[in-house]
């Protein structure tokens, strides 16, 4: 009897093991078929896919970012950052019962100086800013694309975590309780967005349904606000996760707005009219260079993307440049996750793609040393052995059209002068009135500008300075610092 019981127990164990084996085998087959990963760790070990719980879009959860998240570890994978970027974008754009995406209803809309933007014409989205970062380039649409020319506008959105930390630190710095040079950082979850928009009339009618659109109050040349239907073109998603106080800088664009430069043939060809590029072939960098004398692009209506996904390659042989980020693993991960999302997303945002992100390698580095590295190391370097990871020449065609490179000649671009978010978003403050200061907080130009316009008034000739003068001052200071960055990269 005892022997029979043992045999039965063994048979039950075999059945359980077999059933478990079949279950996990089926799980692997299912995962492979639908293109989903079954978790961050697994996706990193195999290919970089999206996850099942991101869909449907209206149910996309916010990505985990703090304790217990994939970033709560001494080791990370390249794929984790791409997955965070896509999930964050999907969460921000998921439709709410109001009909608006989450970011329009739930975040604070602010000026570049972090002043609240008040609604106009009963509309929350108010668009006034048209100048890009750096030399102040203005991007307009190709008139041959839809027989009209319109200007690209920009909005800035921040969450309360970012806003509250900025207000707190402004008070502490200006009161002298915290020095201008400090190791303060924004908290996990702090978020800043920059979004590009254009009048829907600039887009061909048969393609207008492919864009997310919303009503906005847009300032015209007479300084009056008028209601227009605006199409979303691109979005920078800049957020803090655990062990990454430098922010992850991710960017998204609508597809087919401009061609990618053909490095093998050293030229760029547009087969058909595109939103920002006329039909035809050209070469060189004039189309993505802003002429500060004429205040126009050196070659109009020929904009192009210098490097696909912001990943630099060499001319002629089209091989990857030797940088701090090994390739093609990073390029392949971006390609894979874009395909996965596109196959599973059903709404209008399936027409937008992830163009890459950049962050720093802080694996195994303590929070204190992370902050120290930001203020002491050259975080903009893309040379082998440096900290930058991801798309080391990251740019968005609608927001960094004319700052994809600081070189005049495409043949002189190499791994010593690549340009990314960290080229301009560095730890040194641009307002040197109180002295040169360094802080991880100054990676945000919004916070830096806020710090300038809230400075205590001084006596003497500057005693009657106005807010308008302070805002003008920030623009001058940012341009001066930009010029310094350009010279350093050339």
């Amino acid at each position: 009897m005892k022997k029979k019981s043992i045999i039965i127990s063994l048979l039950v164990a075999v059945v359980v093991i077999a059933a478990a084996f079949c279950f996990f085998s089926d799980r692997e087959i299912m995962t492979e078929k639908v293109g989903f990963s079954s978790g961050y760790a697994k996706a990193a070990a195999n290919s970089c896919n999206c996850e099942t719980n991101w869909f449907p879009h209206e149910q996309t959860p916010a990505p985990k970012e703090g304790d217990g998240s994939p970033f709560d570890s001494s080791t990370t994978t390249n794929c984790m950052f791409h997955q965070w970027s896509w999930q964050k974008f999907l969460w921000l754009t998921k439709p709410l019962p109001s009909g608006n995406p989450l970011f329009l209803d739930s975040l604070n809309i602010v000026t570049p100086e972090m002043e609240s933007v008040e609604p106009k014409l009963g509309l929350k989205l108010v668009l006034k800013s048209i100048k890009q970062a750096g030399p102040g380039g203005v991007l307009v649409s190709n008139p041959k694309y839809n027989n009209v020319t319109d200007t690209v506008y920009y909005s800035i959105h921040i969450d309360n975590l970012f806003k509250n930390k900025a207000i707190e630190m402004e008070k502490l710095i200006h009161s002298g309780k915290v020095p201008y040079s400090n190791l303060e950082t924004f908290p996990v979850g702090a978020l800043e967005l920059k979004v590009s928009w254009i009048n829907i009339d600039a887009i061909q009618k048969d393609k207008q349904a492919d864009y997310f659109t919303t009503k906005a109050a847009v300032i015209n040349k007479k300084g009056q606000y008028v209601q227009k239907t605006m199409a979303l073109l691109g979005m920078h998603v800049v957020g803090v996760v655990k062990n990454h106080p430098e922010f992850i800088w991710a960017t998204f664009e609508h597809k087919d707005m401009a061609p990618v430069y053909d490095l093998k043939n050293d030229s760029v060809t547009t087969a058909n009219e595109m939103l920002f590029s006329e039909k035809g072939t050209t070469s060189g960098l004039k189309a993505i260079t802003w002429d500060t004398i004429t205040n126009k692009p050196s070659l109009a209506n020929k904009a192009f993307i210098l490097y696909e996904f912001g990943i630099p390659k060499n001319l002629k042989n089209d091989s990857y440049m030797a940088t701090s980020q090994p390739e093609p693993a990073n390029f392949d991960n971006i390609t894979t996750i874009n395909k996965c999302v596109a196959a599973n997303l059903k709404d209008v945002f399936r027409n937008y793609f992830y163009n890459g992100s950049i962050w720093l390698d802080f694996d195994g580095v303590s929070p204190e040393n992370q902050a120290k590295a930001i203020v002491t190391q050259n975080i903009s370097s893309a040379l082998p052995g440096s900290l930058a990871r991801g798309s080391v020449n990251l740019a968005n065609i609608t927001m960094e059209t004319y700052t994809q490179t600081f070189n005049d000649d495409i043949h002189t671009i190499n791994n010593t002068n690549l340009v990314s978010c960290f080229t301009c978003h560095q730890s040194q403050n641009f307002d040197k009135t109180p002295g040169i200061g360094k802080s991880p907080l100054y990676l945000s130009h919004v916070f830096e500008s806020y710090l300038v316009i809230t400075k205590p008034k001084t006596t003497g000739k500057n005693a009657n300075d106005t807010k308008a003068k302070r805002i003008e001052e920030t623009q001058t200071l940012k341009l001066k610092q930009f010029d310094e960055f350009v010279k350093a990269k050339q």
Side-chain angles (χ1 to χ4, degrees):
M1 189 72 179
K2 189 175 180 182
K3 186 175 180 182
K4 187 176 180 181
S5 298
I6 293 171
I7 293 171
I8 292 172
S9 298
L10 287 172
L11 286 171
V12 170
V14 169
V15 170
V16 169
I17 292 169
F21 177 81
C22 292
F23 172 81
F24 286 114
S25 296
D26 289 343
R27 175 82 175 208
E28 291 301 314
I29 293 169
M30 178 197 71
T31 300
E32 183 178 337
K33 281 182 179 178
V34 299
F36 287 121
S37 74
S38 57
Y40 276 17
K42 180 171 181 53
N46 298 318
S47 58
C48 193
N49 285 310
C50 49
E51 297 195 330
T52 54
N53 70 335
W54 296 0
F55 310 99
H57 191 190
E58 59 268 19
Q59 296 177 15
T60 305
K64 293 180 180 179
E65 299 170 330
D67 294 344
S69 74
F71 303 100
D72 185 14
S73 172
S74 60
T75 58
T76 58
T77 64
N78 176 274
C79 181
M80 283 165 48
F81 295 87
H82 301 316
Q83 289 183 312
W84 175 88
S85 300
W86 249 124
Q87 187 178 356
K88 194 76 170 182
F89 177 78
L90 291 174
W91 175 71
L92 288 163
T93 57
K94 74 176 182 178
L96 300 180
S98 66
N100 285 335
L102 184 144
F103 81 93
L104 278 181
D105 274 8
S106 304
L107 300 184
N108 307 290
I109 303 179
V110 297
T111 68
E113 297 78 33
M114 213 183 84
E115 290 190 292
S116 296
V117 173
E118 299 302 324
K120 303 283 185 183
L121 308 177
L123 298 167
K124 185 176 180 181
L125 181 60
V126 178
L127 299 173
K128 183 178 180 181
S129 176
I130 62 171
K131 290 186 177 182
Q132 294 188 357
V138 176
L139 181 62
V140 298
S141 63
N142 167 23
K144 295 181 180 179
Y145 177 71
N146 199 38
N147 298 317
V148 295
T149 300
D150 261 297
T151 304
V152 175
Y153 285 79
Y154 305 98
S155 60
I156 296 173
H157 311 251
I158 59 174
D159 70 354
N160 286 331
L161 282 170
F162 182 101
K163 181 181 178 180
N164 293 338
K165 181 68 174 182
I167 292 171
E168 175 194 4
M169 292 314 304
E170 176 273 319
K171 290 177 180 176
L172 291 172
I173 290 172
H174 283 151
S175 67
K177 292 179 181 179
V178 171
Y180 269 84
S181 287
N182 61 75
L183 296 180
E184 292 285 342
T185 61
F186 283 98
V188 169
L191 177 68
E192 182 180 336
L193 306 181
K194 188 171 184 180
V195 187
S196 54
W197 309 86
I198 199 166
N199 187 347
I200 193 65
D201 292 340
I203 297 166
Q204 293 176 350
K205 286 189 177 180
D206 62 335
K207 296 183 178 179
Q208 290 179 359
D210 293 338
Y211 289 77
F212 168 76
T213 60
T214 189
K215 301 289 184 183
V218 184
I219 200 163
N220 61 20
K221 292 180 180 179
K222 296 179 181 179
Q224 301 169 330
Y225 283 98
V226 294
Q227 180 176 302
K228 290 186 179 182
T229 299
M230 304 297 286
L232 189 152
L233 301 179
M235 182 186 291
H236 282 326
V237 179
V238 184
V240 177
V241 300
K242 187 167 185 177
N243 290 316
H244 290 277
E246 79 282 12
F247 295 89
I248 299 173
W249 302 72
T251 196
F252 294 80
E253 300 176 16
H254 197 279
K255 62 185 181 181
D256 300 330
M257 294 190 296
V260 179
Y261 199 88
D262 183 349
L263 295 162
K264 234 178 215 184
N265 295 312
D266 193 9
S267 63
V268 59
T269 299
T270 309
N272 302 297
E273 300 293 342
M274 301 180 78
L275 184 58
F276 297 116
S277 189
E278 290 180 357
K279 182 178 178 181
T281 300
T282 188
S283 61
L285 298 173
K286 287 187 176 181
I288 57 171
T289 301
W290 186 259
D291 189 327
T292 55
I293 306 291
T294 63
N295 271 327
K296 294 179 180 179
S298 298
L299 180 62
N301 303 315
K302 286 285 188 178
F304 60 83
I305 298 161
L306 181 58
Y307 298 119
E308 187 175 11
F309 301 150
I311 298 170
K313 291 184 175 182
N314 297 302
L315 276 170
K316 301 301 184 184
N317 62 12
D318 203 30
S319 61
Y320 293 102
M321 278 190 199
T323 69
S324 58
Q325 174 65 58
E327 297 297 350
N330 180 59
F331 186 95
D332 292 344
N333 280 345
I334 296 173
T335 302
T336 300
I337 198 167
N338 277 344
K339 288 180 179 177
C340 185
V341 173
N344 291 281
L345 197 59
K346 305 302 180 185
D347 61 18
V348 70
F349 287 100
R350 69 185 182 278
N351 299 306
Y352 294 80
F353 71 97
Y354 169 53
N355 199 36
S357 60
I358 189 167
W359 63 93
L360 300 179
D361 178 14
F362 280 150
D363 281 7
V365 180
S366 68
E368 182 183 6
N369 286 332
Q370 292 163 11
K372 285 181 179 177
I374 291 171
V375 301
T376 59
Q377 297 198 34
N378 180 9
I379 64 172
S380 70
S381 173
L383 289 171
S386 57
L387 292 174
R389 293 291 182 271
S391 301
V392 294
N393 204 101
L394 188 65
N396 186 299
I397 188 60
T398 67
M399 300 190 223
E400 289 86 28
T401 318
Y402 308 109
T403 52
Q404 297 182 64
T405 179
F406 296 162
N407 285 45
D408 297 326
D409 187 344
I410 195 168
H411 302 90
T412 62
I413 301 176
N414 55 55
N415 62 3
T416 68
N417 54 32
L418 295 171
V419 174
S420 72
C421 306
F422 290 136
T423 304
C424 295
H425 292 271
Q426 296 193 20
S427 64
Q428 184 172 307
N429 64 327
F430 55 66
D431 179 16
K432 299 181 178 63
T433 303
I436 295 175
K438 287 193 172 185
S439 170
L441 297 171
Y442 303 148
L443 290 174
S444 169
H445 288 169
V446 170
F447 174 70
E448 268 208 273
S449 298
Y450 176 65
L451 209 56
V452 173
I453 69 165
T454 54
K455 279 192 302 186
K457 289 191 175 183
T458 57
T459 58
K461 64 178 182 179
N462 293 323
N464 295 318
D465 61 347
T466 63
K467 188 179 289 184
K469 286 183 179 179
R470 291 283 182 92
I471 292 173
E472 187 178 342
E473 181 186 359
T474 66
Q475 294 168 349
T476 302
L477 289 169
K478 281 190 281 189
L479 181 57
K480 184 178 179 181
Q481 189 179 63
F482 175 78
D483 289 338
E484 292 172 0
F485 292 150
V486 172
K487 289 175 183 176
K489 281 289 184 181
Q490 288 177 335

